Amino acid sequence: MSAQSTPKKSEEEKKADDENPEFLGMILAVASLDLRGTIASERDQVDEAERLLSLAVRKEKELGYGEPPLLSRPATESLGYARLRAKQWDKAREAFR
């Protein structure tokens, strides 16, 4: 996720988020979607992987951009790798941009 696509949060906003259980739940939801989508991809469940990982990407964008990153790897990368496994070359390239 690039800084251009989502506004960067101030230090005050980040501190408030760190103490907000709802925000922390959203982070865990993105991580869960990413993990489940990656597992579906490894099992060759292409449609399910696409659905879960696309949802993870959308929810991650809702979280906003911050430094340091909230997750170890952007959901768009997981989506790109899933599309590579499914031999969807053009869609994978789109995810990695």
Side-chain angles (χ1 to χ4, degrees):
M1 178 170 19
S2 73
Q4 297 170 349
S5 63
T6 308
K8 193 169 183 177
K9 292 186 175 192
S10 70
E11 289 301 315
E12 280 183 24
E13 289 173 315
K14 284 194 260 184
K15 181 166 175 44
D17 285 343
D18 289 345
E19 298 170 359
N20 180 345
E22 186 176 311
F23 182 75
L24 297 174
M26 289 172 56
I27 294 170
L28 292 174
V30 172
S32 174
L33 288 164
D34 190 294
L35 178 60
R36 292 182 307 162
T38 300
I39 291 169
S41 173
E42 289 291 333
R43 292 178 174 168
D44 291 324
Q45 298 168 345
V46 176
D47 293 338
E48 182 68 358
E50 179 77 24
R51 184 184 73 77
L52 291 167
L53 292 169
S54 293
L55 185 55
V57 168
R58 284 194 302 276
K59 289 197 174 289
E60 185 178 36
K61 287 181 181 178
E62 291 173 12
L63 291 173
Y65 178 80
E67 291 292 333
L70 296 170
L71 301 164
S72 60
R73 158 173 100 175
T76 53
E77 276 188 33
S78 298
L79 179 60
Y81 287 121
R83 288 173 172 176
L84 284 176
R85 275 187 218 98
K87 299 181 178 161
Q88 298 173 347
W89 316 121
D90 291 337
K91 284 182 153 187
R93 185 180 310 118
E94 182 183 307
F96 286 118
R97 286 187 186 203

